[in-house]
């Protein structure tokens, strides 16, 4: 991989707000995107859903990488991400906040160097750290017993 890799996607409008997305230079199957109703038909994920997915996936992968780096063999992670939309000063809809909650498969005691890896895994998430330049992203990590291990969870509507 080069020092500054380039990623290219090509979108072809199919109809209305539906676009066929091609992930150029990859074997990844094409994806249909669409805006939610009433603007679109909701036939595929909206750009906002894709952004939410990208943040959640990148954080999950970063945490998994950090856990394995410290010789942990974690069970499956379960990640839930919630995006709150808000209006800017001009009244235009924007992504206002993203809350990401990651659930570990085991209790905290099952992991080595947990405090250390939790302190640094977010810094290695390319997507989240890029998005944070303009959008607040909060992250929490809980173990299998529901014990909060990292971050703060922002209540819905806060």
């Amino acid at each position: 991989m080069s020092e500054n890799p380039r990623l290219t996607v090509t979108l072809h409008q199919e109809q209305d707000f539906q676009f066929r997305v091609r992930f150029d230079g990859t074997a990844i199957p094409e994806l249909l995107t669409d805006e939610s109703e009433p603007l679109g038909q909701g036939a595929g994920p909206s750009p906002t859903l894709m952004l939410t997915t990208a943040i959640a996936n990148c954080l999950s992968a970063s945490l998994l990488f950090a856990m394995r780096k410290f010789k942990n063999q974690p069970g499956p992670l379960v990640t839930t991400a919630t995006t709150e939309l808000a209006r800017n000063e001009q009244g235009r809809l924007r992504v206002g906040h993203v809350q990401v909650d990651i659930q570990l498969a085991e209790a905290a005691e099952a992991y080595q160097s947990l405090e250390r890896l939790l302190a640094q895994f977010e810094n290695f998430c390319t997507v989240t750290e890029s998005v944070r330049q303009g959008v607040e992203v909060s992250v929490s990590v809980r173990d299998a017993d529901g014990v909060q291990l990292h971050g703060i969870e922002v209540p819905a509507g806060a």
Side-chain angles (χ1 to χ4, degrees):
M1 183 182 272
S2 73
E3 183 64 25
N4 296 309
R6 295 180 110 157
L7 307 172
T8 304
V9 298
T10 302
L11 285 73
H12 292 272
Q13 183 184 16
E14 299 241 325
Q15 65 179 15
D16 294 326
F17 293 95
Q18 294 178 7
F19 291 85
R20 178 81 41 205
V21 181
R22 185 179 69 222
F23 302 93
D24 299 340
T26 74
I28 299 169
E30 292 181 350
L31 173 70
L32 180 71
T33 63
D34 194 6
E35 290 290 342
S36 303
E37 293 181 358
L39 192 59
Q41 299 172 3
S46 69
T48 305
L49 278 174
M50 290 177 48
L51 177 63
T52 304
T53 301
I55 292 168
N57 187 253
C58 189
L59 282 165
S60 298
S62 184
L63 179 57
L64 180 62
F65 179 86
M67 294 178 85
R68 289 180 176 169
K69 181 179 177 185
F70 286 96
K71 309 295 185 236
N72 293 293
Q73 293 301 317
L77 303 176
V78 176
T79 303
T80 303
T82 304
T83 293
E84 292 182 33
L85 300 177
R87 301 246 177 226
N88 67 8
E89 299 80 34
Q90 294 79 33
R92 296 187 178 104
L93 210 51
R94 298 292 185 252
V95 173
H97 180 255
V98 179
Q99 172 67 42
V100 179
D101 300 300
I102 304 172
Q103 178 83 43
L104 304 178
E106 294 89 10
E109 301 80 42
Y111 301 102
Q112 296 180 42
S113 305
L114 186 61
E115 186 174 316
R116 183 172 174 199
L117 69 90
L118 289 174
Q120 54 183 271
F121 84 96
E122 290 184 55
N123 296 324
F124 295 98
C125 178
T126 304
V127 174
T128 302
E129 290 306 302
S130 298
V131 169
R132 278 186 170 146
Q133 300 297 314
V135 176
E136 180 183 354
V137 179
S138 302
V139 180
S140 74
V141 178
R142 295 181 183 276
D143 70 6
D145 297 327
V147 176
Q148 182 137 356
L149 306 173
H150 174 76
I152 59 168
E153 188 171 346
V154 178

mmCIF file of all heavy atoms in Angstrom, residues 21 41 63 96 117 131 133 139 152:
data_model
loop_
_atom_site.group_PDB
_atom_site.id
_atom_site.type_symbol
_atom_site.label_atom_id
_atom_site.label_comp_id
_atom_site.label_asym_id
_atom_site.label_seq_id
_atom_site.Cartn_x
_atom_site.Cartn_y
_atom_site.Cartn_z
ATOM 1 N N VAL A 21 -23.453 2.219 -7.036
ATOM 2 C CA VAL A 21 -22.101 2.567 -6.616
ATOM 3 C C VAL A 21 -21.151 1.450 -7.036
ATOM 4 O O VAL A 21 -21.372 0.283 -6.709
ATOM 5 C CB VAL A 21 -22.024 2.758 -5.081
ATOM 6 C CG1 VAL A 21 -20.618 3.138 -4.656
ATOM 7 C CG2 VAL A 21 -23.040 3.796 -4.611
ATOM 8 N N GLN A 41 -36.906 6.464 -2.247
ATOM 9 C CA GLN A 41 -37.777 5.320 -1.962
ATOM 10 C C GLN A 41 -37.208 4.410 -0.888
ATOM 11 O O GLN A 41 -37.825 3.416 -0.527
ATOM 12 C CB GLN A 41 -38.013 4.523 -3.244
ATOM 13 C CG GLN A 41 -38.699 5.329 -4.318
ATOM 14 C CD GLN A 41 -38.760 4.579 -5.645
ATOM 15 O OE1 GLN A 41 -38.340 3.429 -5.751
ATOM 16 N NE2 GLN A 41 -39.313 5.230 -6.650
ATOM 17 N N LEU A 63 -10.828 -1.367 17.309
ATOM 18 C CA LEU A 63 -10.826 -2.013 18.621
ATOM 19 C C LEU A 63 -10.398 -3.476 18.499
ATOM 20 O O LEU A 63 -9.576 -3.962 19.283
ATOM 21 C CB LEU A 63 -12.204 -1.917 19.286
ATOM 22 C CG LEU A 63 -12.336 -2.584 20.659
ATOM 23 C CD1 LEU A 63 -11.319 -2.041 21.653
ATOM 24 C CD2 LEU A 63 -13.753 -2.419 21.188
ATOM 25 N N GLY A 96 -25.483 15.786 13.158
ATOM 26 C CA GLY A 96 -25.171 16.551 14.359
ATOM 27 C C GLY A 96 -24.328 15.795 15.362
ATOM 28 O O GLY A 96 -23.446 16.363 16.000
ATOM 29 N N LEU A 117 -5.350 -0.509 25.786
ATOM 30 C CA LEU A 117 -5.873 -0.538 24.408
ATOM 31 C C LEU A 117 -7.116 0.316 24.261
ATOM 32 O O LEU A 117 -7.319 0.937 23.224
ATOM 33 C CB LEU A 117 -6.083 -1.972 23.915
ATOM 34 C CG LEU A 117 -7.193 -2.835 24.518
ATOM 35 C CD1 LEU A 117 -8.476 -2.665 23.757
ATOM 36 C CD2 LEU A 117 -6.761 -4.290 24.451
ATOM 37 N N VAL A 131 -13.848 12.318 10.443
ATOM 38 C CA VAL A 131 -15.190 12.883 10.606
ATOM 39 C C VAL A 131 -15.242 13.825 11.797
ATOM 40 O O VAL A 131 -15.937 14.844 11.768
ATOM 41 C CB VAL A 131 -16.235 11.744 10.751
ATOM 42 C CG1 VAL A 131 -17.589 12.275 11.194
ATOM 43 C CG2 VAL A 131 -16.365 10.995 9.439
ATOM 44 N N GLN A 133 -13.476 16.048 12.623
ATOM 45 C CA GLN A 133 -13.089 17.411 12.279
ATOM 46 C C GLN A 133 -14.326 18.298 12.153
ATOM 47 O O GLN A 133 -14.232 19.509 12.255
ATOM 48 C CB GLN A 133 -12.286 17.426 10.980
ATOM 49 C CG GLN A 133 -11.016 16.614 11.022
ATOM 50 C CD GLN A 133 -10.008 17.124 12.022
ATOM 51 O OE1 GLN A 133 -9.746 18.317 12.091
ATOM 52 N NE2 GLN A 133 -9.443 16.228 12.803
ATOM 53 N N VAL A 139 -18.112 7.631 21.808
ATOM 54 C CA VAL A 139 -17.906 6.188 21.771
ATOM 55 C C VAL A 139 -17.964 5.631 23.184
ATOM 56 O O VAL A 139 -17.397 6.202 24.109
ATOM 57 C CB VAL A 139 -16.523 5.830 21.162
ATOM 58 C CG1 VAL A 139 -16.310 4.330 21.122
ATOM 59 C CG2 VAL A 139 -16.373 6.429 19.776
ATOM 60 N N ILE A 152 -18.220 7.726 27.358
ATOM 61 C CA ILE A 152 -19.497 8.033 27.982
ATOM 62 C C ILE A 152 -20.590 7.773 26.967
ATOM 63 O O ILE A 152 -20.417 7.989 25.780
ATOM 64 C CB ILE A 152 -19.571 9.492 28.481
ATOM 65 C CG1 ILE A 152 -19.347 10.473 27.317
ATOM 66 C CG2 ILE A 152 -18.576 9.752 29.584
ATOM 67 C CD1 ILE A 152 -19.686 11.893 27.659
#
